[in-house]
């Protein structure tokens, strides 16, 4: 498979409004003029909210397992569809499309707490990510989320995702993820939240993508290559 976050067509993922059902719209169109790449979500009072029971073609299940429809701010739902296609396109070639995403939104639809992700493999449905199991697929999936979202926060029961454009900010959440990914995926066991940037830049050079981890290109490449490394799509 090509080393690219694009090429979603091999999964047949349709990241369009046509894949969603049970749509309800509320709220006003957000005002324009936010700074490019601003990491904050649209305020709940002004955001357009829709109810969705799917992300791309994958059904949504509640953390308890039942089928569910939740309110989403439109930007968050759109980004989740793009994220799921990205995760799928960078997974092993014998993994088929994601079929279930488990989690729930908050009451405003501004955040989504992800607890599980399942995909089709041959004639079975298998776990691709489980929030309570910190294996390589866990860190790979966190990498894919950091690639797409402004704020990704592991919680006791899942991973809370806030909409907004991804960018390197040096936030505590990003630094904690990077240090963990360097230890658990890249093998840099000495990486810590106090000393991680040098190891991250070495990881980028190993992947043939030299860049500064603190740049937009460096953060984007680090999260993409960490996803592929963690899902065993690529070795570096």
């Amino acid at each position: 498979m090509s080393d690219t976050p694009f090429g979603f067509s091999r999964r047949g993922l349709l990241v369009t409004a046509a894949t969603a059902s049970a749509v309800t719209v509320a709220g006003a169109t957000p005002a324009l003029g936010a700074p490019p790449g601003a990491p904050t979500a649209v305020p709940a009072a002004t955001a357009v909210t829709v109810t969705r029971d799917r992300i791309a073609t994958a059904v949504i299940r509640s953390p308890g397992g039942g089928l569910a429809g939740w309110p989403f701010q439109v930007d968050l739902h759109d980004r989740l569809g793009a994220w799921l296609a990205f995760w799928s396109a960078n997974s092993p070639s014998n993994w088929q499309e994601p079929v279930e995403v488990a989690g729930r939104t908050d009451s405003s639809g501004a955040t989504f707490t992800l607890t599980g992700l399942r995909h089709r493999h041959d004639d079975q449905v298998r776990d691709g990510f489980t929030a309570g199991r910190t294996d390589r697929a866990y860190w790979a999936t966190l990498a894919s989320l950091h690639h797409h979202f402004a704020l990704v926060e592991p919680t006791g029961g899942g991973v809370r995702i806030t909409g907004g454009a991804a960018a390197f900010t040096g936030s505590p959440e990003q630094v904690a993820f990077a240090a963990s990914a360097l230890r658990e995926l890249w093998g840099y066991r000495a990486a810590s939240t106090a000393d991680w940037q040098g190891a991250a830049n070495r990881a980028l050079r190993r992947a043939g993508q030299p860049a500064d981890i603190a740049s937009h290109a460096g953060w984007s490449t680090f999260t993409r290559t960490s996803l592929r490394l963690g899902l065993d799509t690529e070795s570096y």
Side-chain angles (χ1 to χ4, degrees):
M1 188 178 69
S2 174
D3 185 17
T4 172
F6 307 106
F8 303 149
S9 59
R10 77 176 179 87
R11 307 292 183 180
L13 281 170
L14 304 178
V15 189
T16 67
T19 63
S21 60
V23 181
T24 304
V25 180
T29 303
L32 300 178
T40 55
V42 176
T46 59
V48 174
T49 303
V50 294
T51 299
R52 293 286 191 258
D53 60 6
R54 292 176 181 267
I55 294 173
T57 56
V59 299
I60 299 173
R61 290 192 178 274
S62 70
L67 294 173
W70 302 117
F72 289 88
Q73 290 186 8
V74 171
D75 177 73
L76 175 62
H77 189 265
D78 287 350
R79 289 181 187 277
L80 283 165
W83 157 73
L84 191 60
F86 173 76
W87 184 94
S88 182
N90 286 282
S91 66
S93 59
N94 61 345
W95 290 19
Q96 297 167 29
E97 74 280 0
V99 293
E100 296 178 3
V101 175
R104 65 167 300 141
T105 58
D106 66 352
S107 60
S108 71
T111 69
F112 181 74
T113 299
L114 176 69
T115 59
L117 170 58
R118 307 188 79 199
H119 64 93
R120 196 174 301 283
H121 186 281
D122 298 327
D123 59 348
Q124 298 180 332
V125 174
R126 299 184 181 181
D127 291 335
F129 164 82
T130 302
R133 187 174 65 214
T134 50
D135 54 7
R136 289 175 65 83
Y138 174 90
W139 296 112
T141 301
L142 255 65
S144 71
L145 292 167
H146 278 285
H147 188 88
H148 272 273
F149 294 96
L151 184 59
V152 179
E153 303 170 278
T155 68
V159 180
R160 184 184 300 115
I161 304 155
T162 303
F168 179 78
T169 63
S171 68
E173 294 82 9
Q174 288 184 343
V175 170
F177 156 73
S180 295
L182 287 164
R183 293 192 302 269
E184 303 300 328
L185 299 180
W186 294 90
Y188 294 110
R189 305 305 300 177
S192 69
T193 55
D195 184 14
W196 64 277
Q197 288 181 280
N201 287 334
R202 289 195 295 275
L204 289 170
R205 290 194 295 272
R206 266 174 57 184
Q209 302 288 333
D212 184 347
I213 185 62
S215 68
H216 177 77
W219 183 249
S220 178
T221 300
F222 179 73
T223 52
R224 176 175 55 82
T225 53
S226 294
L227 165 63
R228 293 176 67 80
L229 185 62
L231 294 186
D232 296 321
T233 311
E234 198 78 73
S235 59
Y236 303 106

